[in-house]
């Protein structure tokens, strides 16, 4: 329960901002930025000193909470606390009696959020990427007391942007396990709902429109599935929404003094980039908008806010950039295999069509097949190969579902947002044919900027079956626009019907998550936590347990890993923790990629395993062996299965 310390610091910072006169939604965004910077600063500093541990993190958060409490006590509320509470109660009461439908909708969304929070808390992290690198890298950070790079057969554990894992790292160390790891995404979902409602208000939406924006955001299928995982797309979505809010604020500000706004823009930008590589495609259009707004106000003095934004953003990312540059020769890490190798108008049209197709799959096989065929015909007219490897990653193009019905997917890696996509298209159509709405506030500017984020994404990034999860920030960013448009519908019953459809169609995604189901014969309540780690690959459950039991029988706790191209290792850490009282040390050995140079550095060059786990799955691309040579020592195969071998020093 010691995670209450960092959460408590967030609460105290929120109170401080609220005391300074900000409304509660502004306070939430400002608080999250400060908290995000705190997480980054503590992690980087403690890593540099190699003191990332329970005692040091506990002491740091206790000290921070004490300092924040003392600061909080020095501030006086600009609005008396009693009056503020009365105003909030009056607002809720007004909503209940005059807008009972909205109150009901908010209650429904609240119930969905609570259910997702329960899933996030009960179910363990079991997303495929989490097993490969999100959670695995955290275990190495804890083992090494540092986030410094280490030898690994899977380099994304090193160069992938780490902010989300920083937050999980603090929760994991303070709680003694991964029981709260999924909550980082869940908190981000809630924050996104609140932030998009605030942007909707900026764009001129009334209370109803703000609520509709929050509901649109909360019911995105991909968002619902990810909100209970340790993926990082929802975390990214929140930082990008913060950036969008502050950029819009810079457009609205009449005064030339923009220091505070530049600080907020820079913080949002820096945290977004530190969270995920796809941030660049989402922040670029908003940065263009910010620059143009500053040029209009400041003319030749525009360099001042731009330098401030760049400095803050770079300060948050400089350590990660340097680690990448020192090992990979680039601040971005390894050369991207996801970047389009051919750029042009036809490539852009192709990728827009194929990325949109990821959201039009249905349980109706005939629809999927026709849509698939139609897109291939369009590509024939474009003169573009629909499966061109220069613009397509890994698999051949397809519309999810294919000709035959596969049933409800519930897969957080490839789920589509069909209803939300159709609603976005409908709202854009209404907007284009309604002059009155087009003239209001900054709606057109905001819409154009958000659409441009999707265009930039399609222009730069190859199509892959999992791109739909990378689109989550786009759908969240569209929420304020949809909220505004729905609030402008004259017939309120039509808007209410649409929102009701969003709520109802969200329920299957809430209850039938493929890997964390509430309703299933193997749901999160009747399946052991350990078993749930293997939801993606149940056939490895007994294999991993068998290997670790064998190593325990040999009293071997210094383990070398040779995983090849299959770095599905996090469950190994979990089973070790549950099945041994000894301190386990794990290290990748015989690494042949760029991180191999780290094997010659202290303390990795001193590592001498008593046993080696050797992955032999098809994905690993490693052939079955009877012995392994490491540092001129021979390790003999003494335990094996069709997917894994255990080697003991001769």
């Amino acid at each position: 329960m010691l995670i209450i310390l960092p959460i408590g610091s967030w609460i105290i910072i929120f109170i401080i901002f609220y005391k300074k006169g900000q409304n509660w939604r502004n306070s939430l965004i400002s608080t999250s930025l400060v908290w995000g910077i705190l997480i980054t600063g503590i992690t980087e500093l403690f890593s540099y000193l190699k003191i990332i541990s329970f005692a040091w993190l506990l002491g740091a958060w206790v000290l921070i909470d004490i300092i924040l409490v003392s600061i909080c006590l020095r501030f006086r509320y600009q609005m008396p606390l009693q009056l503020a509470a009365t105003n909030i109660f009056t607002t809720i009461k007004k909503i209940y009696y005059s807008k009972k439908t909205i109150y009901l909708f908010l209650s429904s969304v609240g119930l969905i959020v609570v259910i997702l929070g329960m899933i996030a808390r009960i179910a363990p992290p079991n997303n495929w990427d989490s097993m490969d690198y999100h959670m695995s890298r955290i275990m190495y950070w804890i083992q090494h007391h540092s986030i410094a790079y280490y030898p690994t057969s899977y380099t994304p554990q090193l160069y992938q942007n780490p902010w989300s894992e920083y937050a999980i790292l603090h929760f994991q160390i303070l709680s003694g396990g991964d029981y709260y790891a999924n909550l980082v995404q869940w908190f981000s979902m809630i924050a996104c709902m609140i932030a998009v409602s605030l942007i909707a208000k900026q764009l001129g939406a009334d209370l109803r429109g703000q609520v509709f924006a929050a509901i649109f955001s909360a019911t995105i299928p991909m968002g619902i599935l990810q909100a209970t995982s340790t993926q990082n797309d929802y975390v990214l979505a929140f930082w990008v929404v913060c950036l969008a809010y502050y950029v819009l604020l810079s457009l609205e500000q009449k005064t030339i003094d923009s220091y505070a706004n530049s600080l907020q823009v820079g913080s949002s930008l820096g945290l977004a980039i530190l969270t995920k590589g796809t941030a660049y495609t989402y922040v670029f259009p908003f940065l263009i908008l910010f620059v143009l707004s500053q040029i209009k106000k400041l003319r030749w003095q525009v360099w001042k806010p731009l330098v401030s934004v760049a400095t803050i953003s770079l300060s948050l990312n400089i350590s990660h950039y340097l680690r990448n540059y020192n090992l990979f020769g680039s601040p971005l890490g390894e050369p991207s295999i996801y970047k389009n190798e051919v750029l042009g108008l036809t490539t852009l049209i192709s990728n827009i069509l194929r990325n949109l197709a990821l959201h039009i799959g249905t349980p109706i096989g005939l629809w999927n097949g026709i849509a698939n065929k139609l897109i291939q015909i369009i590509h024939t007219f474009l003169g573009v190969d629909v499966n061109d490897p220069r613009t397509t990653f890994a698999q051949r193009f397809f519309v999810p579902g294919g000709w035959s019905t596969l049933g409800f997917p519930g897969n957080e890696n490839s789920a589509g947002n069909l209803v939300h996509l159709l609603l976005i298209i409908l709202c854009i159509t209404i907007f284009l044919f309604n002059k009155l709405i087009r003239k209001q506030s900054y709606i057109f500017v905001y819409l154009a900027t958000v659409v441009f984020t999707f265009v930039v994404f399609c222009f730069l990034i190859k199509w892959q079956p999992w791109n739909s999860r990378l689109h989550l920030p786009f759908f969240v960013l569209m929420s304020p626009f949809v909220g505004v448009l729905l609030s402008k519908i004259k017939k309120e019953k039509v808007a209410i019907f649409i929102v009701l459809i969003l709520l109802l169609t969200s329920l299957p995604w809430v209850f039938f998550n493929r890997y964390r189901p509430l309703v299933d014969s193997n749901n999160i309540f009747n399946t052991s936590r350990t078993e749930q780690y293997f939801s993606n690959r149940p056939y490895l459950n007994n294999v991993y347990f068998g290997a670790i039991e064998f190593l325990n029988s040999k009293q071997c706790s210094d383990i070398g890993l040779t995983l090849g191209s299959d770095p599905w290792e996090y469950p190994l850490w979990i089973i070790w923790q549950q099945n041994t009282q000894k301190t386990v040390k794990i290290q990748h050995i015989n690494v042949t990629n760029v991180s191999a140079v780290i094997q010659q550095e202290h303390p990795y060059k001193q590592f001498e395993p008593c046993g080696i786990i050797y992955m032999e799955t098809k994905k690993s691309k490693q052939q079955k062996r009877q012995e392994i040579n490491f540092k001129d020592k021979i390790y003999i195969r003494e335990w094996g299965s069709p997917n894994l071998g255990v080697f003991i020093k001769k």
Side-chain angles (χ1 to χ4, degrees), residues 437-588:
I437 299 178
R438 287 206 308 271
K439 293 179 180 179
Q440 291 181 11
S441 188
Y442 299 98
I443 299 178
F444 177 75
V445 173
Y446 181 78
L447 173 62
T449 306
V450 175
V451 170
F452 191 35
T453 65
F454 186 74
V455 172
V456 173
F457 181 96
C458 294
F459 185 72
L460 294 177
I461 298 177
K462 288 181 178 180
W463 181 91
Q464 57 177 324
W466 312 284
N467 269 357
S468 58
R469 68 180 174 83
L470 306 181
H471 297 159
L472 179 59
F474 168 75
F475 281 89
V476 174
L477 286 168
M478 286 300 302
S479 303
F481 171 75
V482 173
V484 172
L485 266 290
L486 289 179
S487 69
K488 303 297 182 183
I489 295 177
K490 293 182 179 180
K491 293 184 179 181
E492 188 175 3
K493 290 183 178 180
V494 175
I496 291 174
F497 176 76
I498 292 173
V499 173
L500 187 61
I501 292 296
L502 290 176
L503 288 169
L504 291 176
T505 54
S506 72
L507 295 180
W509 306 96
V510 173
F511 291 99
F512 296 100
N513 186 316
R514 177 181 290 185
Y515 305 117
R516 295 175 294 281
L518 274 180
V519 180
D520 187 60
S521 57
N522 295 316
N523 60 63
I524 62 173
F525 300 108
N526 62 17
T527 305
S528 71
R529 187 175 180 86
T530 305
E531 232 179 304
Q532 290 181 60
Y533 287 107
F534 294 89
S535 294
N536 272 280
R537 306 176 81 175
Y539 59 90
L540 289 181
N541 190 347
N542 292 332
V543 174
Y544 277 29
F545 268 98
I548 290 171
E549 285 176 4
F550 174 77
L551 286 166
N552 274 334
S553 70
K554 297 291 185 178
Q555 297 185 343
C556 177
S557 57
D558 289 344
I559 311 301
L561 297 182
T562 303
L563 305 180
S565 300
D566 190 358
W568 212 76
E569 64 173 287
Y570 182 65
L572 289 171
W573 290 90
I574 295 299
I575 298 171
W576 270 113
Q577 288 179 341
Q578 294 177 351
N579 288 271
T580 181
Q581 300 298 320
K582 293 183 178 180
T583 300
V584 178
K585 187 174 183 180
I586 297 177
Q587 182 176 313
H588 289 245

Side-chain angles (χ1 to χ4, degrees), residues 245-260:
Y245 170 71
Y246 288 120
V247 169
L248 282 177
L249 204 60
S250 72
L251 293 177
E252 296 172 352
Q253 286 177 337
K254 303 300 181 184
T255 59
I256 294 179
D257 181 17
S258 57
Y259 175 75

Side-chain angles (χ1 to χ4, degrees), residues 6 33 93 111 165 263 273 295 341 346 370 431 445 447 468 479 549 563 594 597:
L33 290 179
K93 188 176 178 181
L111 180 61
E165 287 89 336
L263 179 65
I273 291 173
I295 290 175
E341 299 169 34
T346 54
I370 292 174
F431 176 78
V445 173
L447 173 62
S468 58
S479 303
E549 285 176 4
L563 305 180
V594 67
V597 296

Side-chain angles (χ1 to χ4, degrees), residues 1-9 35 39 42 46 52-62 65 138 142 166-180:
M1 292 304 294
L2 288 175
I3 69 161
I4 194 64
L5 293 172
I7 293 175
S9 70
W35 193 80
I39 288 282
I42 294 171
F46 283 15
I52 293 179
S53 64
F54 174 80
W56 281 98
L57 286 184
L58 176 64
W61 284 112
V62 168
D65 285 350
I138 292 172
I142 294 172
Y166 285 178
I168 297 173
L169 172 69
H170 286 242
F171 285 1
Q172 190 125 337
I173 290 176
L174 291 174
S175 67
D178 57 17
Y179 300 98
Y180 302 96

